[in-house]
């Protein structure tokens, strides 16, 4: 949802155009086959577009897509890496059970 204009011939419009041309020229290719080809093409186009958008957003925000931690920072020519504190070992978690009072 943006205010940018859509190109006249967006790549997702090739599928409906192919279906139209198949019907208009009465080609011997089955409409069912053309419909499946258009579906696969549009799904691949949508997946590629989504991947590109996610990649651009992650590159801009300097984050990984499906991870919580940040990627390592790029070092400039004259800088040295700072000593990062080591994470403390996580304490062992024990299961605590609650005993409910019995009602008699």
């Amino acid at each position: 949802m943006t205010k940018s204009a859509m190109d006249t011939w967006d790549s997702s419009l090739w599928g409906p155009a192919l279906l139209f041309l198949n019907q208009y020229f009465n080609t011997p290719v089955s409409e069912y086959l053309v419909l499946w080809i258009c579906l696969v093409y549009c799904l691949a186009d949508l997946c590629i577009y989504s991947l590109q958008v996610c990649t651009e957003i992650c590159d801009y925000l300097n984050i990984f897509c499906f991870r919580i931690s940040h990627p390592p920072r790029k070092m400039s020519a004259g800088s040295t890496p700072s000593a990062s504190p080591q994470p403390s070992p996580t304490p062992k978690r024990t299961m605590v059970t609650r005993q409910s009072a019995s009602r008699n």
Side-chain angles (χ1 to χ4, degrees), residues 36-87:
W36 274 104
I37 290 170
C38 293
L39 174 70
V40 169
Y41 173 76
C42 287
L43 282 175
D45 185 50
L46 179 66
C47 290
I48 290 169
Y49 173 75
S50 299
L51 180 68
Q52 289 174 346
V53 167
C54 288
T55 303
E56 286 181 18
I57 291 172
C58 289
D59 288 345
Y60 179 77
L61 295 175
N62 193 24
I63 59 174
F64 288 122
C65 188
F66 293 111
R67 294 189 187 161
I68 296 175
S69 63
H70 290 280
R73 295 185 181 189
K74 296 179 183 176
M75 301 299 294
S76 59
S79 66
T80 59
S82 62
S84 62
Q86 295 294 327

Side-chain angles (χ1 to χ4, degrees), residues 12 30-31 79 89 95:
S12 63
S30 169
E31 290 87 11
S79 66
M95 182 181 290

Side-chain angles (χ1 to χ4, degrees), residues 15-27:
L18 187 60
L19 286 170
F20 169 76
L21 292 174
N22 185 38
Q23 289 291 323
Y24 185 76
F25 291 114
N26 199 16
T27 58

